[in-house]
Amino acid sequence: MDEINLHYRFLNWRRRIREIREVRAVRYRERFKRMMRDGEVLCYQGNSDEVGCYVAPRPLSKGNFYFEVTIVDTGVRGMIAVGLVPQYYKLDHQPGWLPHSVAYHADDGKLYNGNTIGQQFGPKCNRGDRIGCGIYLEAFEDGQTTVFFTKNGKEVGTVVVPGSPEALYPAVGMHSLGEEVQLDLQAEWGIEKENGLMIVDSHEDEWGRLHDVRVTGSLLEYVGKGKSIVDVGLAQARLPLNTRCHYYELEITDAGEKCYIALGLARRDYPKNRHPGWSRGSIAYHADDGKLFQGSGVGDAFGPRCFEGDVMGCGIMFPRDYILDSGDDNDDGDLELLPKQRRVQNDLYMNDEDEEEDGEELEGEQEERKVMVFFTRNGKVVGRKEVAVPAGGFYPTIGMMSTGEKVRVDLHPLSG
């Protein structure tokens, strides 16, 4: 009898070992449906009525907290999603649609956080763009997970989700014919290194004045109270626009509560608690209502409203033979005076049919120092306005006024 019992105990032991091995094998097995994987390339294999989804074999961890997807082909609709999901996520749903999952969708730039209704989050993504997703390491200690997303190596935004990061697996979703991506589960993200030294470009030296605005790299964040019209956060560039640097842009990365974001130009001594455009010596395009404000608290209908993901631009079409003001007290001596014989071309807009006409009209009015200020939205000119240049020049000036507003600024987008 003892020999029989020992025999059955041995069989049970072997069965348990086999089950454990099977569980481990399943645990570290990638899962995908309506997709074909060829090396690091994932291709959609459905009929566009059904979702295809890929789930990585291992969750993110302290040693591997980030991954990236490069869009090889957007296919018919570009419905590509990148995010994190539970291990046994339903493969006929896009990442982010079901509870306990979160994803950034390329076709609309929205964030889907356990819901089929997305929220405005970042810019849309196209062929060649890299979408990254990762977790901040401190999430392992506080019981919540802070997930961040990137586009082409730059952070788009973050979202906090409940639960342990060890339960979140990299996932990619597709939903139209021809979609194809390259997957890199071992991607690295962080501060770039060169010659063994850490490069930290704060960009703070580009700004002459900052009030209730925090600078992190190229990102400006409103940190004021946001309670009344005097709680303006103001950022003014250190140098005015000139004939060699005549245009700048911002991308709305977070619209905050009200999207009270203004982009424009102002005199150097512009009051810190006034939105650009509200006081004399300034002009600005306001995102929340699409109006143009020029030295007045009452705006004029001008262009479309702007939202998260939109890129707003402002520049000057200097008249030919324009001479920089030598009377300003600029603390940077690299702005040379241009002789009248030197012609200036704004290459980005030199195809405008009426540029010649405008230049000739303004040439005769040099004494009044008038210029044509133009504004753009997502690369297209919204409108123009002729204004007199204040003494010392027009400085790029950005205003914000509601909690949570963030913009990413490029003061030299045409420098290559």
Side-chain angles (χ1 to χ4, degrees), residues 156-168:
V156 174
T158 62
V159 59
V160 178
V161 297
S164 168
E166 296 173 338
L168 296 174

Side-chain angles (χ1 to χ4, degrees), residues 25-43:
V26 171
R27 181 181 179 186
Y28 296 116
R29 182 184 302 162
E30 62 184 7
R31 302 169 57 239
F32 53 91
K33 185 176 183 180
R34 301 186 184 96
M35 284 190 187
M36 179 181 71
R37 179 167 184 178
D38 182 7
E40 299 303 316
V41 176
L42 296 174
C43 304

Side-chain angles (χ1 to χ4, degrees), residues 53-236:
C53 187
Y54 168 89
V55 179
R58 288 177 173 80
L60 294 184
S61 63
K62 289 183 178 180
N64 183 26
F65 63 91
Y66 178 75
F67 75 101
E68 275 188 347
V69 167
T70 301
I71 300 177
V72 178
D73 197 326
T74 56
V76 177
R77 297 196 298 265
M79 300 178 72
I80 298 169
V82 178
L84 300 173
V85 302
Q87 181 183 7
Y88 297 108
Y89 193 77
K90 293 184 178 179
L91 299 179
D92 55 356
H93 288 71
Q94 283 274 30
W97 282 3
L98 296 180
H100 311 297
S101 70
V102 61
Y104 178 28
H105 286 222
D107 60 311
D108 55 15
K110 291 184 177 181
L111 180 76
Y112 290 75
N113 188 4
N115 199 310
T116 55
I117 299 175
Q119 300 175 334
Q120 287 296 331
F121 184 66
K124 298 178 182 180
C125 301
N126 300 297
R127 179 184 299 180
D129 286 333
R130 290 181 292 115
I131 305 175
C133 177
I135 53 177
Y136 285 118
L137 298 182
E138 58 266 25
F140 284 86
E141 301 173 359
D142 58 16
Q144 290 185 321
T145 303
T146 301
V147 180
F148 66 91
F149 292 92
T150 67
K151 179 186 176 186
N152 298 329
K154 297 182 179 180
E155 185 174 318
V156 174
T158 62
V159 59
V160 178
V161 297
S164 168
E166 296 173 338
L168 296 174
Y169 289 69
V172 180
M174 300 185 198
H175 202 177
S176 76
L177 293 174
E179 292 173 354
E180 184 176 324
V181 302
Q182 183 170 340
L183 178 66
D184 186 357
L185 293 175
Q186 307 298 322
E188 296 183 359
W189 181 82
I191 301 174
E192 295 181 358
K193 296 182 179 180
E194 184 176 335
N195 298 327
L197 299 176
M198 300 291 278
I199 298 176
V200 182
D201 190 359
S202 69
H203 292 259
E204 283 196 43
D205 58 345
E206 293 185 334
W207 301 98
R209 300 169 59 205
L210 292 169
H211 174 69
D212 281 346
V213 172
R214 180 169 58 217
V215 178
T216 306
S218 61
L219 189 72
L220 302 186
E221 180 181 359
Y222 175 68
V223 293
K225 297 178 181 178
K227 301 294 184 182
S228 69
I229 61 171
V230 298
D231 293 329
V232 173
L234 197 75
Q236 188 174 70

Side-chain angles (χ1 to χ4, degrees), residues 269-280:
D269 60 346
Y270 193 77
K272 65 182 181 180
N273 61 347
R274 297 286 289 172
H275 237 348
W278 284 359
S279 295
R280 66 175 181 83

